Amino acid sequence: MARPKRTKKDAAPSDLSWSADTELVGLVFELTPRAADYLYPQYTVGLHAWFLDQVRQTDPELSAYLHDGQSEKPFSISSLEGELLTAGKNLQLKVDASYLWYVSALSKPVVQWLAQWVQALPEVIELRDASFLIHACEIALAPTTYDELFSNAHSPSTTLKLSFLSATSFRRKGNHFPLPVPNNLFHSYLRRWNDFSNQQFDQDAFLEWVEECVLIHRHRLESVKVAAGKKGSVTGFTGAIELGLTSAASSQPKFEQLFYALGQFAPYCATGHKTTFGLGQTRAGWLTQETPTVPSQQSLLAQRIAELQEQFLSQRKRAGGTRATEIAETWATILARRELGESLMAIATDMEMRYETVKTYAKLARRALTQVS
């Protein structure tokens, strides 16, 4: 995707506007670091927190819903797209480089908030130990509505190509499932579609149709493990896939149309879980040559979290319970990040936990690790 054009600040409002009935839009920001600062491997947690704080400053009620709401999240964000250097246990920014950051909105309230926010964008994004100037911003995904996506989705003679630029994974039976099986893909998209559009579809019936009628024509995938969200690691995939339909698909024309509509919806909503922390970034088309490499520090952190979690689970008498898994994941995340040199206060802030609780968990995790060795 082309870089945002460099526009004068007073020109931004006219370039970043859309109609009042818009329900979906995607923005891309061009960011320039103010110095050759360092990023910790889970910096997308900081981007997530910064964005929600921007919402909180002008619409606390919407911010609370985005943070605490139990429904699907009506936005997605990406990690930074650009060259990140290896610097010990951290990632280092290049002071003469620029980075792209994508934000998409999936519901009218978030789109309306964005419409006001972009009229007076902040000049700087402040993360822990790093700050960026917002050099430019423009529309990356065209403003539209769910009805427009559906009504324009008529492509029965073409295949559907999707590319996954960041680690993408699904949850299945309490575990990560790192494969773009059509049923998982369209379950992911339809959940969000049904939550935010005024045109809903029967999930079970549609997924049964997907199971019978959607074919994988080709794929090019690579597995990857990353630390994602506030705690834990994710085994996912990046790459591209091309999907088509059987001749029997046309017996359900509404589902056939929905298939293509959800394909257009995918770049807005992203794919799988933890999409508000940079996972599952999706683009239309076959773009495997553009799939960025996961920085080694992020992979190493994810592998260490997974290793520690397995050790802690093996020590618990009831290893199969949800609570045991959550505790092991929390301990593993805290200890792995401490091993990278992060402060307990910084970890507590990212994980939204009390400092004393994180301190106690770190001690318990170290003690448990000593027992293993």
Side-chain angles (χ1 to χ4, degrees):
M1 183 174 292
R3 288 188 175 274
K5 55 190 175 185
R6 300 167 186 256
T7 58
K8 296 180 180 178
K9 279 189 174 291
D10 59 4
S14 61
D15 294 336
L16 296 171
S17 60
W18 43 81
S19 64
D21 63 349
T22 299
E23 296 172 316
L24 301 122
V25 70
L27 301 177
V28 57
F29 298 83
E30 183 178 0
L31 310 178
T32 55
R34 303 177 80 176
D37 291 325
Y38 296 91
L39 292 172
Y40 60 109
Q42 284 182 295
Y43 70 87
T44 53
V45 175
L47 287 171
H48 173 99
W50 182 86
F51 178 72
L52 290 186
D53 186 61
Q54 290 294 303
V55 181
R56 180 195 59 78
Q57 291 178 30
T58 56
D59 194 336
E61 185 176 346
L62 177 60
S63 177
Y65 166 70
L66 296 180
H67 186 276
D68 302 322
Q70 297 303 305
S71 66
E72 298 293 330
K73 300 299 183 184
F75 73 100
S76 67
I77 69 170
S78 74
S79 56
L80 297 177
E81 184 180 304
E83 185 178 1
L84 295 171
L85 304 175
T86 299
K89 298 177 180 179
N90 293 311
L91 307 169
Q92 187 173 19
L93 300 166
K94 293 184 66 176
V95 71
D96 58 345
S98 60
Y99 299 85
L100 300 184
W101 182 47
Y102 295 85
V103 176
S104 296
L106 316 179
S107 71
K108 185 176 287 188
V110 182
V111 169
Q112 290 175 339
W113 178 83
L114 281 178
Q116 296 298 316
W117 182 58
V118 296
Q119 303 308 306
L121 284 171
E123 294 185 0
V124 178
I125 294 178
E126 294 282 359
L127 301 181
R128 187 211 312 170
D129 301 327
S131 63
F132 299 85
L133 294 172
I134 298 179
H135 186 73
C137 175
E138 71 174 26
I139 293 172
L141 297 170
T144 188
T145 67
Y146 287 91
D147 286 344
E148 287 173 350
L149 280 184
F150 187 76
S151 62
N152 294 331
H154 293 285
S155 302
S157 62
T158 63
T159 58
L160 175 62
K161 301 182 185 74
L162 295 172
S163 294
F164 310 99
L165 303 190
S166 64
T168 304
S169 187
F170 308 95
R171 296 292 291 178
R172 191 172 77 169
K173 297 181 179 180
N175 298 303
H176 301 299
F177 186 74
L179 288 172
V181 175
N183 193 280
N184 293 91
L185 287 174
F186 288 94
H187 181 221
S188 169
Y189 304 145
L190 186 60
R191 285 200 329 265
R192 296 171 172 93
W193 179 286
N194 279 345
D195 222 20
F196 304 122
S197 77
N198 58 13
Q199 186 175 7
Q200 299 183 347
F201 295 87
D202 184 277
Q203 178 175 285
D204 292 338
F206 177 68
L207 293 180
E208 183 178 345
W209 177 88
V210 168
E211 191 74 25
E212 295 294 330
C213 299
V214 177
L215 303 173
I216 298 176
H217 283 199
R218 60 173 175 149
H219 63 78
R220 183 174 297 167
L221 304 171
E222 182 177 349
S223 61
V224 60
K225 185 181 285 291
V226 296
K230 296 172 185 174
K231 61 181 180 180
S233 62
V234 170
T235 301
F237 62 88
T238 58
I241 191 169
E242 182 176 3
L243 303 171
L245 298 176
T246 67
S247 58
S250 59
S251 64
Q252 293 271 20
K254 285 290 186 182
F255 286 169
E256 186 176 41
Q257 191 171 351
L258 180 60
F259 167 81
Y260 289 106
L262 292 178
Q264 296 177 40
F265 179 50
Y268 292 91
C269 68
T271 303
H273 66 145
K274 296 185 183 288
T275 55
T276 60
F277 292 96
L279 267 63
Q281 281 290 294
T282 306
R283 302 287 184 268
W286 187 274
L287 306 173
T288 54
Q289 70 276 11
E290 296 185 15
T291 303
T293 302
V294 176
S296 59
Q297 289 83 351
Q298 292 178 321
S299 298
L300 290 173
L301 175 60
Q303 291 166 6
R304 182 56 175 161
I305 290 173
E307 176 185 294
L308 289 172
Q309 183 175 342
E310 184 176 346
Q311 291 181 3
F312 294 149
L313 270 176
S314 68
Q315 293 176 295
R316 306 190 73 83
K317 294 180 180 179
R318 298 181 180 179
T322 301
R323 177 167 172 74
T325 300
E326 289 179 352
I327 291 174
E329 185 177 59
T330 301
W331 285 14
T333 301
I334 292 171
L335 187 55
R337 292 181 65 171
R338 280 295 289 152
E339 290 176 349
L340 284 179
E342 293 189 59
S343 70
L344 289 174
M345 183 61 72
I347 296 170
T349 299
D350 274 357
M351 298 182 70
E352 297 183 339
M353 297 173 62
R354 293 176 61 250
Y355 170 80
E356 291 299 330
T357 302
V358 171
K359 183 178 179 181
T360 299
Y361 282 1
K363 290 180 179 178
L364 292 172
R366 286 198 191 93
R367 189 180 305 161
L369 195 60
T370 302
Q371 293 173 0
V372 172
S373 59

